[in-house]
Amino acid sequence: MGWEQNPQLKAETFLHFPSCRHIEMPLNSQIEESIQITGLTDNSIGRKAEFGSEEDMYRAADEIEKEKELLIHERGLSEPKLSVAPEMDIMDYCKKEWRGNTQKATCMKKGYEEVSQKFTSIRRVRGDNYCALRATLFQAMSQPAGLPSWLQDPELTLWAGLAELRTAEARQKACDELFTNEEEEYSLYEAVKFLMLHRAIELYDDKEKGEDVPFFSVLLFARDTSSDPGQLLRNHLNQVGHTGGLEQIEMFLLAYAVRHTIQVYRLSKYSTEEFITVYPTDPPRDWPVVTLIAEDDRHYNIPVRVCEETSL
């Protein structure tokens, strides 16, 4: 039965995803069928994004090889690798990364100068195909604000303890520990992909019923490769983390899935109205806000430490 014939959203079965231990997602039989067809339940999903098993599409080949060698060396020393680097001064980072005087370098420098008026530091995020998910979730989970309901579910035993941590320091320490544990980290990303799929089905169902839906969902299902949730799963969500990252339209879906407003400084769009882009464009007022930095709309870093003047 096709999606258009049965877009019922209420969960009728529970599917346990092998690479997401301790996580059970309520899904109807139709989602389960699509997952079986596309192979999303294969343990290989989420593991191919690890260095050494799939090339990163976002960076130069020599840089990828150096990162792989570094990771192998660190694993040999049995030292955990933090996928979100320690913070450093944001303008020091800019000077290190953008030393030339090309048009792009100048644009990046001006963009970072603008961001530095709000934030003093930056944390570099590992640039694999989970980058958008990693940056968003690290930022969301580090904040002392209350966690969204989906992270407080008792079934999510790996992260339920975060709900009890109220200070920024405690949350930060817990997140640093989580993001050095590859098994738990990648399980989190795969769980969020399920949430994105579940939210997409809700939006698709509402659209088919003629109900009002966010405009991004109209564009999401207008693509030839994602005309329904089944195609979205097979051609897009199933690829996130190993052969591709999130596209811009899917950043809206991510925001709806995790119930956070995602504000992104798009440095390549400096001096345009797109320099600061918000996903979604008209978010609910009660959603917490996470802020990211994007140099090329594919790789995201995290600004930290709000300037005192800004916080006041």
Side-chain angles (χ1 to χ4, degrees):
M1 182 179 295
W3 292 96
E4 69 283 354
Q5 294 173 288
N6 181 23
Q8 182 65 31
L9 300 177
K10 292 185 178 179
E12 297 176 357
T13 62
F14 281 88
L15 176 68
H16 183 74
F17 184 42
S19 69
C20 298
R21 295 191 299 173
H22 310 295
I23 302 172
E24 289 184 345
M25 300 295 295
L27 301 172
N28 62 27
S29 58
Q30 202 152 32
I31 306 176
E32 186 173 3
E33 178 182 359
S34 292
I35 291 172
Q36 291 171 347
I37 292 173
T38 56
L40 188 56
T41 55
D42 192 320
N43 260 334
S44 64
I45 302 297
R47 312 311 300 168
K48 290 183 179 179
E50 297 178 14
F51 292 115
S53 55
E54 187 76 22
E55 286 193 357
D56 181 355
M57 297 177 64
Y58 297 163
R59 297 173 299 165
D62 58 342
E63 183 180 356
I64 295 171
E65 289 304 316
K66 290 180 181 178
E67 190 94 47
K68 289 178 181 178
E69 293 174 2
L70 177 61
L71 182 60
I72 292 173
H73 175 68
E74 290 186 348
R75 281 176 172 168
L77 297 176
S78 299
E79 296 179 355
K81 179 177 177 62
L82 183 63
S83 61
V84 179
E87 65 180 74
M88 65 180 297
D89 181 86
I90 195 167
M91 290 311 299
D92 287 346
Y93 174 84
C94 174
K95 293 175 184 177
K96 177 183 177 182
E97 295 295 319
W98 299 98
R99 300 177 181 177
N101 294 313
T102 64
Q103 183 177 357
K104 182 175 182 180
T106 300
C107 181
M108 293 295 110
K109 291 175 184 177
K110 290 182 177 179
Y112 274 115
E113 288 175 0
E114 184 70 23
V115 178
S116 70
Q117 303 303 309
K118 302 288 186 180
F119 299 91
T120 63
S121 302
I122 189 172
R123 298 191 67 164
R124 185 173 184 177
V125 176
R126 184 188 297 175
D128 60 16
N129 290 312
Y130 278 118
C131 188
L133 291 175
R134 177 178 292 110
T136 299
L137 294 175
F138 187 92
Q139 196 69 316
M141 297 168 72
S142 298
Q143 294 181 347
L147 291 176
S149 58
W150 63 271
L151 267 178
Q152 299 184 45
D153 192 306
E155 294 292 342
L156 299 175
T157 56
L158 293 176
W159 310 288
L162 284 173
E164 301 176 0
L165 304 177
R166 296 300 178 185
T167 67
E169 292 77 11
R171 281 279 181 88
Q172 194 66 71
K173 182 179 179 180
C175 284
D176 285 346
E177 293 177 356
L178 170 60
F179 284 80
T180 57
N181 185 317
E182 290 186 345
E183 182 177 1
E184 295 184 4
E185 180 184 348
Y186 289 113
S187 293
L188 175 60
Y189 304 147
E190 293 301 322
V192 172
K193 286 165 61 175
F194 271 114
L195 290 171
M196 293 174 68
L197 174 62
H198 186 70
R199 187 56 175 146
I201 296 170
E202 291 181 336
L203 293 169
Y204 183 84
D205 186 34
D206 290 343
K207 181 176 71 71
E208 291 296 290
K209 291 178 180 178
E211 299 179 4
D212 291 336
V213 294
F215 183 64
F216 88 86
S217 66
V218 177
L219 299 178
L220 183 70
F221 295 116
R223 298 185 298 183
D224 293 338
T225 55
S226 62
S227 60
D228 58 48
Q231 283 195 342
L232 176 66
L233 174 65
R234 288 188 294 271
N235 300 326
H236 296 276
L237 293 181
N238 208 20
Q239 313 306 320
V240 173
H242 51 110
T243 61
L246 288 182
E247 298 180 16
Q248 287 294 296
I249 193 66
E250 291 153 3
M251 290 294 290
F252 288 92
L253 182 60
L254 173 61
Y256 268 82
V258 300
R259 298 184 180 90
H260 275 66
T261 300
I262 304 173
Q263 176 181 264
V264 181
Y265 286 93
R266 301 169 68 189
L267 302 187
S268 62
K269 304 292 184 180
Y270 178 74
S271 78
T272 74
E273 60 181 13
E274 297 179 281
F275 176 57
I276 300 178
T277 299
V278 179
Y279 310 92
T281 53
D282 188 20
R285 294 183 178 181
D286 60 340
W287 281 10
V289 178
V290 298
T291 303
L292 310 177
I293 297 173
E295 294 184 348
D296 57 8
D297 285 345
R298 296 177 299 176
H299 180 219
Y300 296 84
N301 289 322
I302 300 172
V304 293
R305 298 198 180 278
V306 176
C307 298
E308 292 185 7
E309 295 82 357
T310 302
S311 62
L312 294 176

